[in-house]
Amino acid sequence: MTHPVSPLAQPFPELPAIAGVTPHVVRAGYKNWGRCDLTYVTFAPGTAVAGVFTKNLCCSSEVEIGRANIAQGSARALVVNAGNSNAFTGYRGREAVEQIMDQVARHVGCAREEVFVSSTGVIGVPLPKDKAREGVEKALVAAPCSWEEAANTIATTDTFAKGATASALIGETTITISAIIKGSGMIAPDMATMLGYLFTDAAVSPAFLQQCLSAANTRTFSCITVDSDTSTSDTVLAFATGQAGNAPLIDENSPGADAFAAAIGDVCRQLAHLVVRDGEGASKFIAVTVSGAVSDESARKVGMAIANSPLVKTAIAGEDANWGRVVMAVGKAGEPADRDTLSIGFGGIWAAKQGLPLADYDEAPVAAHLKGQDVTIQVDLGLGDGAATVWTCDLTHGYISINADYRS
Amino acid sequence: MTHPVSPLAQPFPELPAIAGVTPHVVRAGYKNWGRCDLTYVTFAPGTAVAGVFTKNLCCSSEVEIGRANIAQGSARALVVNAGNSNAFTGYRGREAVEQIMDQVARHVGCAREEVFVSSTGVIGVPLPKDKAREGVEKALVAAPCSWEEAANTIATTDTFAKGATASALIGETTITISAIIKGSGMIAPDMATMLGYLFTDAAVSPAFLQQCLSAANTRTFSCITVDSDTSTSDTVLAFATGQAGNAPLIDENSPGADAFAAAIGDVCRQLAHLVVRDGEGASKFIAVTVSGAVSDESARKVGMAIANSPLVKTAIAGEDANWGRVVMAVGKAGEPADRDTLSIGFGGIWAAKQGLPLADYDEAPVAAHLKGQDVTIQVDLGLGDGAATVWTCDLTHGYISINADYRS
């Protein structure tokens, strides 16, 4: 089952190689397909790791184990299986993950806690151990591959390969981040978990790497939604090899801390937008900006209520400046909001201010804005200084076709 | 814009007349349509009233005023405007509601707090006072109409008229409830707010009527969802004329209290199901039963997370027993849940038990069940005694067509 390439797709960027990071791809044959489906990335000794994981309580063994092993702070290898999420597979799923960790650790000569595993694909079928073993065996001796090959190999229902890069000047050293991600719906038939990986040559403490990734996550991956559904396997990991040789190690208070954090944030934002741009059935990229909330978190929640509203998303699909539906979504968010201080607009033009439709509201420029591929919805709650931007896509017949018009 | 009648529609039932209740319908012309759009119901002196209202923080003036006036406990008239919700219209909207209350109160000879007003339709356009005044003037002298005419007149995007009835024996007196409701999406282009009205001849205290209605609401209207969106105007009111002559007045501890509460609950359940059956684009009626939760409220929240999941709803539309999507929805609910005690099934057949797919799971009878119009999803969390059932419909191309393929 392949879907047409998203109309919002972007070409795969030029991603720089990262010293100390070597990607490889092979075909384990998790599904009956010709493509590579196992990605194996090795890291030089001394590589720091950080991660953020799904909050879904029914998460996979990969997520449980990865979350526990982030604490020790170092990584030597990453294995990503595509075609089988290994979620909801009990002890048999856990054994398959541990087998991969052991097999790689033996070969690399590291602790098994330094081997990170992700899986994405169908739920409820234990990852076949024999295919995993043979796949890893091939991967351990495979030739290095390009970032684009790795991005294609971690993908499942994605319609285009996704990558992003950023760099920062730390003292006199340039550090570089290259990153890949997969995901289209939050979860999908065969499946569309979001898995993202950042690779950098920066020398950074694991604690600060985690701090940067967690902060970026709050503003980026936690601010996107395709269909409000949350995968059991969502994972974003950051690996820092230290091979750029910047000294001292970047830490919370060191020179360059802000520049490094900004670069991580920038890459995460780019990756998050790419996932929305591959949203199932998406025809428009929607930014929802909320200001005047009682706090940033409150603004984010109001933004997500708008971005998750099927009625707002179908209105945008229909190129209809239906601000009544935005009012409804603000009201149902459950966050502090007052009808009489609420303002709503599209594409920078206010339709209603302080609880009343504008008498001189001209819908023509708004209608023109909504015909484009990039749509903005702005909301001011008129209560405080809290602000946030969240991103989503419209809800179209394409979403229904992808998710309903198939038989598993 | 009219949509084809829902395939899940049910014929309008025989609704008994209720002593002390007289419905009338007229055409106020709120929209450019030929149909009646103003419903006027009068109540005999001594009629008790109770109500439940939307939790949407951006609610209409009708909801604000109605909520405040419920407290005094008595009602003499109800006016329902269709075609204009009068929501998000500031002081001008409020003035229109007060004008209607005054006009009716003068004619009936009652306090204006005893006149209840609802409006449903487009958001952001103040209810035109002149049309309302002329409409009410006609209504005050109109001939009584049938329940079905009233049910059709409160409707907007509904594809069929909705009514329900129940009766109960209180001592030696039979009391009767007749009720009508409108609603299809939670809110819609022209619009689909849920407005429900129960009329009974029972003699009941306003406090107990409210208690019964609130309790029923928790188990019925709060347990349905079409698209997770919440209207700014949702309202359910119950009126009790006392003309059945049962004595003493039904109160919390009087004989017949349980029978009366059961009849109110039964009518509310019937009405709630009818709204789901007219869900925009619905092709299947889905009951989600959750057991083994830590509390009934926790079970309800897990049920609603499943019922609101676009991926679960599209899977049912596709007649796919995709229990992995149910696992995902359970996990994202944020309520206590444990993958290793979780069981999931369809149509009474378990697909997974205690965190593992069943080895002998036979998908054939489940596939047959999913081909029907009435689908059940059962979930056992294996943690406690909490249980709840919620109802929804599937998510189909019809929903997108109704909500996106139009221009306002």
Side-chain angles (χ1 to χ4, degrees):
Chain A
M1 187 186 65
T2 49
H3 300 297
V5 172
S6 168
L8 307 176
Q10 297 198 328
F12 196 81
E14 289 282 331
L15 287 199
I18 302 295
V21 180
T22 315
H24 321 72
V25 296
V26 298
R27 183 176 172 281
Y30 291 123
K31 287 182 64 169
N32 186 19
W33 52 14
R35 51 164 277 197
C36 286
D37 52 10
L38 189 153
T39 308
Y40 172 61
V41 186
T42 52
F43 308 112
T47 294
V49 64
V52 291
F53 300 90
T54 181
K55 288 178 183 161
N56 193 302
L57 293 169
C58 295
C59 66
S60 66
S61 291
E62 283 81 342
V63 167
E64 281 182 342
I65 295 171
R67 188 154 31 206
N69 290 344
I70 283 292
Q72 51 81 32
S74 77
R76 292 298 307 282
L78 166 71
V79 174
V80 184
N81 305 301
N84 183 323
S85 79
N86 198 35
F88 209 67
T89 54
Y91 69 92
R92 282 176 290 180
R94 192 171 180 97
E95 283 175 3
V97 180
E98 289 174 339
Q99 175 192 289
I100 293 172
M101 293 165 68
D102 284 335
Q103 191 181 356
V104 172
R106 262 197 314 275
H107 180 85
V108 172
C110 66
R112 79 178 196 174
E113 288 73 23
E114 294 176 301
V115 179
F116 289 81
V117 181
S118 306
S119 302
T120 174
V122 69
I123 279 185
V125 181
L127 194 73
K129 282 191 193 177
D130 52 344
K131 286 183 179 168
R133 187 183 306 109
E134 286 164 32
V136 170
E137 210 166 280
K138 281 193 276 182
L140 296 175
V141 297
C145 72
S146 70
W147 287 124
E148 189 165 2
E149 286 173 288
N152 275 315
T153 303
I154 66 173
T156 51
T157 55
D158 301 62
T159 73
F160 63 96
K162 303 174 185 72
T165 183
S167 56
L169 201 59
I170 308 295
E172 294 183 344
T173 311
T174 297
I175 68 91
T176 305
I177 306 169
S178 287
I180 57 175
I181 196 162
K182 61 89 51 180
S184 48
M186 282 300 105
I187 203 172
D190 293 281
M191 313 264 310
T193 286
M194 185 184 81
L195 298 178
Y197 306 99
L198 285 71
F199 309 100
T200 176
D201 52 8
V204 54
S205 76
F208 187 62
L209 184 63
Q210 183 66 50
Q211 186 180 321
C212 293
L213 184 64
S214 295
N217 178 56
T218 304
R219 294 193 314 276
T220 59
F221 303 115
S222 295
C223 289
I224 61 169
T225 178
V226 169
D227 54 14
S228 84
D229 280 338
T230 311
S231 159
T232 49
S233 307
D234 288 339
T235 298
V236 179
L237 296 172
F239 302 94
T241 65
Q243 308 243 329
N246 58 290
L249 211 64
I250 309 170
D251 210 332
E252 195 174 353
N253 300 309
S254 63
D258 292 344
F260 181 73
I264 292 282
D266 197 274
V267 166
C268 288
R269 182 177 45 76
Q270 292 180 58
L271 294 178
H273 287 191
L274 289 169
V275 172
V276 171
R277 287 185 175 278
D278 207 4
E280 293 169 338
S283 75
K284 292 177 192 292
F285 180 85
I286 308 170
V288 181
T289 302
V290 178
S291 57
V294 295
S295 69
D296 289 353
E297 179 57 15
S298 181
R300 190 188 73 83
K301 285 184 181 163
V302 170
M304 288 299 267
I306 298 166
N308 275 327
S309 162
L311 288 169
V312 171
K313 293 157 78 90
T314 48
I316 301 298
E319 300 179 350
D320 174 33
N322 194 320
W323 57 269
R325 295 186 181 185
V326 179
V327 174
M328 171 281 301
V330 170
K332 77 164 184 167
E335 291 297 307
D338 181 343
R339 190 187 58 201
D340 298 335
T341 61
L342 180 59
S343 302
I344 290 169
F346 298 90
I349 298 157
W350 294 107
K353 273 206 156 180
Q354 290 166 328
L356 283 174
L358 289 182
D360 60 351
Y361 169 53
D362 178 9
E363 201 168 305
V366 172
H369 171 72
L370 292 179
K371 288 201 188 307
Q373 271 191 343
D374 285 272
V375 170
T376 61
I377 302 174
Q378 75 246 28
V379 169
D380 190 279
L381 298 175
L383 299 178
D385 294 328
T389 300
V390 309
W391 300 276
T392 190
C393 54
D394 55 343
L395 175 56
T396 68
H397 284 288
Y399 182 85
I400 307 292
S401 296
I402 293 168
N403 287 298
D405 301 351
Y406 76 96
R407 295 293 179 283
S408 63
Chain B
M1 185 185 69
T2 48
H3 299 297
V5 173
S6 168
L8 306 177
Q10 296 198 329
F12 196 79
E14 289 283 332
L15 287 199
I18 302 295
V21 180
T22 314
H24 322 71
V25 297
V26 298
R27 183 175 172 280
Y30 291 123
K31 288 183 63 171
N32 186 19
W33 53 15
R35 49 162 279 194
C36 288
D37 51 11
L38 189 153
T39 308
Y40 172 59
V41 187
T42 51
F43 307 111
T47 294
V49 64
V52 292
F53 299 90
T54 182
K55 290 178 181 159
N56 194 303
L57 293 170
C58 296
C59 65
S60 66
S61 291
E62 283 81 342
V63 167
E64 280 181 344
I65 295 172
R67 188 154 30 206
N69 289 345
I70 283 293
Q72 50 82 33
S74 78
R76 292 298 305 283
L78 166 71
V79 174
V80 184
N81 305 302
N84 184 321
S85 80
N86 196 36
F88 210 67
T89 56
Y91 70 91
R92 284 176 289 179
R94 192 174 178 94
E95 282 174 4
V97 180
E98 290 173 340
Q99 173 191 290
I100 293 173
M101 292 165 68
D102 284 336
Q103 191 180 356
V104 172
R106 263 197 313 276
H107 180 86
V108 171
C110 66
R112 79 176 195 174
E113 289 72 24
E114 294 177 299
V115 179
F116 289 81
V117 180
S118 307
S119 302
T120 174
V122 69
I123 279 184
V125 180
L127 193 73
K129 282 190 193 177
D130 51 345
K131 287 184 179 169
R133 188 183 306 108
E134 287 163 32
V136 170
E137 210 166 282
K138 281 194 275 181
L140 296 176
V141 297
C145 73
S146 70
W147 287 125
E148 189 164 2
E149 286 173 288
N152 275 315
T153 302
I154 65 172
T156 52
T157 55
D158 302 62
T159 74
F160 62 96
K162 303 174 184 72
T165 183
S167 57
L169 200 59
I170 309 294
E172 292 181 345
T173 311
T174 297
I175 67 93
T176 305
I177 305 168
S178 286
I180 58 174
I181 196 163
K182 60 87 55 180
S184 50
M186 283 301 105
I187 204 173
D190 295 279
M191 316 259 310
T193 286
M194 185 183 81
L195 298 178
Y197 306 100
L198 285 71
F199 309 100
T200 176
D201 52 8
V204 54
S205 76
F208 187 61
L209 184 62
Q210 183 67 50
Q211 187 179 318
C212 291
L213 184 64
S214 297
N217 178 56
T218 304
R219 294 193 315 275
T220 60
F221 303 116
S222 295
C223 288
I224 62 168
T225 179
V226 169
D227 54 15
S228 82
D229 281 337
T230 311
S231 159
T232 50
S233 308
D234 289 338
T235 298
V236 179
L237 297 172
F239 303 94
T241 63
Q243 309 243 329
N246 56 290
L249 213 62
I250 308 171
D251 210 333
E252 196 174 353
N253 300 308
S254 63
D258 292 344
F260 180 73
I264 292 282
D266 197 275
V267 167
C268 289
R269 182 177 45 76
Q270 292 180 59
L271 294 177
H273 287 192
L274 289 170
V275 171
V276 171
R277 287 185 173 278
D278 207 5
E280 292 169 338
S283 74
K284 291 176 193 290
F285 181 84
I286 308 170
V288 182
T289 302
V290 178
S291 57
V294 295
S295 70
D296 289 353
E297 180 55 16
S298 181
R300 191 188 71 85
K301 286 184 180 161
V302 170
M304 288 298 268
I306 298 166
N308 276 325
S309 163
L311 289 169
V312 171
K313 291 157 80 91
T314 48
I316 300 298
E319 301 180 347
D320 174 32
N322 195 320
W323 57 269
R325 294 187 182 184
V326 180
V327 174
M328 171 283 298
V330 170
K332 80 165 182 165
E335 291 297 307
D338 181 342
R339 190 186 60 200
D340 298 334
T341 61
L342 179 58
S343 302
I344 289 168
F346 299 90
I349 297 156
W350 295 106
K353 274 205 153 181
Q354 290 166 330
L356 283 173
L358 289 182
D360 58 352
Y361 169 52
D362 177 8
E363 202 167 305
V366 172
H369 171 72
L370 292 178
K371 287 199 188 308
Q373 272 191 343
D374 284 273
V375 170
T376 62
I377 302 175
Q378 75 245 29
V379 170
D380 190 278
L381 299 174
L383 299 178
D385 294 328
T389 301
V390 308
W391 300 276
T392 189
C393 54
D394 54 344
L395 175 57
T396 68
H397 284 288
Y399 182 86
I400 307 292
S401 297
I402 293 168
N403 288 297
D405 301 353
Y406 76 98
R407 294 296 178 282
S408 64

